[in-house]
């Protein structure tokens, strides 16, 4: 890893190198936190968790030809080198910041309340048409996940697309300090993490901390249809580029047509020209993702043909509106996360499906004091959309059930206390040919339902 010698690592994280002098200039080959994934030549970063302190595994890890380890504890003299630090978590962030500076590649930082991952996927798919691009995998978007993503970068990479997720003030500032983005993309300001951020204005303030470390010659790309983001003005001399469907001042789309579960088509206008594209992920939200990717693609010199190819070659990700065809059902796996906006968007797509439309919806987390009302709104919305069968699961989802039943519609509604009870009854409830949406916040572990259906 470029310039990651043990000496430089110690300097980067304000640590103390302990070991043989002749080892100081050896370069680590990788950095890992999971003791089960130890690699020869790597650096082990032991993190103290709520239940397990990874420092307990240092001796075991170092038997696997690992080059060195960090440690918050003075280990005394050891047959292996280590770097003594005050905090492994702080150190890993400082090392990631140092390493990214060594690589000197453009960074696209993506945040927002809803759609970060799906937007990241289409932006990376577009940039890959011209550049060797590394993107965040899975949910590695927090103060530990972001450094681990950065450590996957190598000299051959030409672009980094980094997802940045937060739940409280100050977190984005710390993430941006690591990433120092050349391009900041914000998808929207929704209703996530109200428990900590209190209001949409609070969310706007927290998300726009990403600008704290925007490069001086950087770019800002924002959803112009969002009533909060449209208020963002010139920052550090950088004027935002807006994208939207209603707002036509930047990159915008019209001629939007649902193609069912095959995706959604539209015409994208860039100001100078326009092009038609089929986005292979259903839902109006996919148009916004494609618009953001178009703006990023143009920023980095891609042609319209390359941008079109990148959008149309997009692959869906497990848990993120991933469509699974089985002999009995069509399963829409959208169970990674949920909030009122994304719930309603997914229900909109379900209405375009063939066969009986079934929604298995679970609790949404971190909604603050209005959580009951927001669950009621989703239940009401599902009934108004006349979904054939709504299955509500979890403590908060009882409010979905009550609100849905209060609507005068043909929707059948059932409530289950937990997913285990639901899964026991699913064989009797479902019918061949059903299209089934599975969606809830991640803590509900609805991926188990998807596995059963698959």
């Amino acid at each position: 890893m470029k310039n990651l010698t043990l000496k430089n690592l110690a300097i980067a994280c304000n640590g103390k190198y302990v070991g043989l002098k002749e080892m100081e200039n050896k370069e680590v080959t990788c950095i890992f936190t999971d003791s089960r994934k130890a690699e020869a030549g790597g650096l082990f970063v032991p993190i103290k968790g709520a239940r397990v302190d990874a420092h307990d595994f240092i001796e075991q890890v170092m038997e696997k030809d690992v080059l060195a380890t960090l440690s918050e504890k003075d280990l005394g003299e050891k047959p292996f080198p280590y770097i003594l630090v005050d905090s492994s978590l702080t150190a890993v962030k400082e090392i990631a910041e140092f390493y990214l500076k060594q690589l000197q590649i453009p960074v696209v930082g993506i945040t927002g309340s809803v759609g970060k991952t799906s937007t990241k996927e289409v932006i990376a798919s577009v940039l890959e048409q011209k550049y060797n691009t590394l993107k965040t995998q899975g949910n590695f978007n927090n103060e530990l996940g972001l450094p681990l993503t950065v450590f996957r970068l190598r000299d051959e990479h030409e672009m980094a697309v980094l997802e940045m997720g937060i739940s409280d003030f100050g977190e984005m500032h710390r993430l941006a300090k690591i990433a120092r983005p050349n391009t900041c993309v914000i998808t929207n300001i929704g209703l996530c993490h109200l428990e900590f951020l209190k209001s949409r204005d609070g969310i706007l303030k927290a998300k726009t901390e990403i600008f704290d470390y925007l490069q001086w010659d950087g770019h800002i790309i924002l959803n112009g249809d969002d009533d909060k983001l449209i208020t963002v003005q010139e920052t550090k001399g950088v004027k935002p580029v807006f994208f939207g469907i209603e707002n036509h001042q930047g990159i915008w789309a019209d001629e939007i047509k649902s193609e069912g579960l095959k995706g959604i088509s539209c015409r994208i206008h860039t100001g100078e020209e326009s092009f038609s594209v089929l986005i292979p992920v259903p839902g109006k939200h996919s148009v916004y993702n494609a618009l953001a990717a178009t703006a990023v693609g143009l920023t980095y010199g891609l042609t319209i043909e390359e941008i079109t190819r990148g959008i149309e070659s997009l692959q869906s990700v497990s848990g993120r509106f991933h469509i699974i065809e089985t002999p009995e059902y069509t399963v829409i796996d959208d169970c990674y996360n949920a909030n009122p906006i994304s719930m309603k968007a997914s229900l909109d797509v379900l209405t375009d499906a063939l066969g009986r439309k079934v929604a298995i919806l679970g609790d949404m987390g971190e909604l603050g004091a209005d959580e009951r009302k927001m669950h009621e709104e989703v239940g009401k919305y599902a009934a108004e959309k006349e979904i054939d069968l709504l299955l509500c699961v979890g403590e908060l989802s009882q409010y979905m059930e009550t609100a849905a039943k209060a609507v005068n519609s043909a929707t059948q509604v059932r409530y289950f206390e937990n997913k285990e009870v639901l899964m026991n009854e699913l064989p009797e409830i479902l019918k061949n040919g059903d299209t089934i949406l599975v969606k809830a916040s991640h803590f509900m572990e609805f991926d188990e339902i998807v596995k059963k259906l698959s």
Side-chain angles (χ1 to χ4, degrees):
M1 299 177 72
K2 188 173 184 178
N3 291 337
L4 287 196
T5 62
L6 297 183
K7 181 178 180 179
N8 284 342
L9 286 168
I11 294 170
C13 66
N14 298 303
K16 178 185 176 183
Y17 173 77
V18 181
L20 297 174
K21 184 75 174 175
E22 57 264 32
M23 296 284 285
E24 271 192 313
N25 291 319
K26 285 195 173 290
E27 211 171 73
V28 299
T29 56
C30 65
I31 297 177
F32 62 95
T33 58
D34 189 336
S35 61
R36 297 165 297 182
K37 298 179 180 178
E39 293 185 32
L43 174 74
F44 179 44
V45 180
I47 303 292
K48 286 183 179 178
R51 298 180 181 176
V52 178
D53 183 353
H55 286 76
D56 296 339
F57 303 108
I58 287 178
E59 299 281 352
Q60 177 185 333
V61 167
M62 296 310 295
E63 292 175 357
K64 299 178 181 179
D65 292 326
V66 172
L67 180 60
T69 180
L70 299 186
S71 178
E72 296 175 10
K73 304 173 182 179
D74 189 336
L75 304 176
E77 290 188 12
K78 288 291 181 182
F80 53 80
Y82 66 94
I83 298 171
L84 186 62
V85 297
D86 292 331
S87 163
S88 293
L89 183 57
T90 299
V92 80
K93 290 186 283 188
E94 292 170 338
I95 293 169
E97 179 185 349
F98 171 81
Y99 180 54
L100 197 48
K101 286 179 181 177
Q102 309 310 300
L103 298 175
Q104 293 291 304
I105 63 172
V107 172
V108 179
I110 302 168
T111 191
S113 296
V114 182
K116 293 184 293 295
T117 299
S118 53
T119 302
K120 170 205 69 185
E121 291 295 325
V122 68
I123 287 175
S125 184
V126 166
L127 291 175
E128 284 166 357
Q129 306 307 309
K130 184 172 182 177
Y131 301 105
N132 187 332
T133 302
L134 181 132
K135 65 185 178 184
T136 302
Q137 287 186 338
N139 62 337
F140 279 58
N141 63 6
N142 60 16
E143 291 188 62
L144 179 57
L146 178 62
L148 293 178
T149 298
V150 168
F151 295 143
R152 290 173 45 231
L153 286 163
R154 294 295 182 269
D155 286 343
E156 62 266 23
H157 288 117
E158 300 170 298
M159 294 285 300
V161 181
L162 305 179
E163 181 180 333
M164 302 161 74
I166 64 163
S167 59
D168 209 343
F169 296 108
E171 286 182 66
M172 183 60 72
H173 178 90
R174 295 189 291 273
L175 292 175
K177 186 174 185 290
I178 298 168
R180 298 179 182 266
N182 301 81
T183 302
C184 297
V185 179
I186 306 182
T187 60
N188 47 54
I189 303 298
L191 298 169
C192 296
H193 309 301
L194 290 175
E195 181 179 354
F196 305 105
L197 300 176
K198 305 303 180 185
S199 68
R200 289 183 69 225
D201 286 327
I203 295 169
L204 176 67
K205 181 180 178 182
K207 298 291 185 184
T208 52
E209 288 177 4
I210 194 172
F211 301 148
D212 292 352
Y213 287 93
L214 174 68
Q215 299 285 357
W216 66 270
D217 57 347
H219 320 94
I220 298 173
I221 297 172
L222 306 175
N223 184 342
D225 287 352
D226 188 286
D227 61 321
K228 298 298 181 182
L229 289 176
I230 196 65
T231 65
V232 175
Q233 302 299 316
E234 183 176 302
T235 302
K236 293 185 173 179
V238 179
K239 291 184 177 180
V241 171
F242 292 102
F243 62 88
I245 296 171
E246 306 300 329
N247 188 326
H248 292 182
Q249 65 172 288
I251 311 294
W252 55 280
D254 61 5
E255 299 180 18
I256 298 167
K257 180 185 176 186
S258 170
E259 306 294 345
L261 295 186
K262 292 181 180 179
I264 190 164
S265 59
C266 67
R267 175 167 287 277
I268 294 178
H269 301 260
T270 67
E272 298 177 356
E273 51 189 319
S274 67
F275 60 99
S276 294
V277 65
L278 172 62
I279 309 162
V281 178
K284 191 176 180 180
H285 64 282
S286 294
V287 176
Y288 286 102
N289 301 343
L291 289 170
T294 300
V296 173
L298 292 173
T299 297
Y300 289 97
L302 273 74
T303 65
I304 293 300
E305 290 74 20
E306 289 169 329
I307 292 170
T308 303
R309 188 166 63 246
I311 294 171
E312 293 190 337
S313 62
L314 177 66
Q315 300 292 315
S316 61
V317 179
S318 177
R320 309 280 189 165
F321 224 94
H322 179 50
I323 297 171
I324 305 167
E325 296 285 355
T326 79
E328 297 85 15
Y329 320 119
T330 298
V331 181
I332 303 174
D333 171 14
D334 200 19
C335 67
Y336 180 75
N337 219 334
N339 56 67
I341 294 174
S342 66
M343 280 281 201
K344 292 175 183 177
S346 296
L347 287 166
D348 286 342
V349 176
L350 182 60
T351 62
D352 292 329
L354 300 175
R356 194 172 69 142
K357 302 164 184 61
V358 180
I360 302 176
L361 305 184
D363 291 357
M364 300 175 285
E366 297 184 348
L367 295 179
D370 288 336
E371 62 183 9
R372 173 175 176 169
K373 178 183 176 183
M374 292 179 187
H375 282 80
E376 288 173 342
E377 287 177 0
V378 169
K380 180 173 181 283
Y381 192 81
E384 289 174 342
K385 285 289 181 179
E386 297 195 335
I387 301 302
D388 295 304
L389 178 60
L390 173 62
L391 307 177
C392 307
V393 186
E395 182 179 352
L396 290 169
S397 294
Q398 63 185 302
Y399 303 118
M400 274 190 210
E401 177 210 22
T402 303
K405 285 183 173 178
V407 176
N408 183 21
S409 83
T411 300
Q412 291 182 292
V413 186
R414 292 187 60 180
Y415 173 73
F416 300 86
E417 185 177 345
N418 55 57
K419 66 177 182 293
E420 288 75 22
V421 176
L422 167 76
M423 288 194 290
N424 285 335
E425 297 194 32
L426 276 180
E428 304 300 321
I429 295 172
L430 299 177
K431 300 177 181 179
N432 283 359
D434 284 351
T435 297
I436 308 159
L437 169 67
V438 185
K439 189 166 181 65
S441 281
H442 191 56
F443 70 88
M444 293 292 287
E445 298 180 343
F446 268 27
D447 55 321
E448 295 179 19
I449 298 175
V450 172
K451 288 176 185 175
K452 182 177 179 67
L453 293 174
S454 302

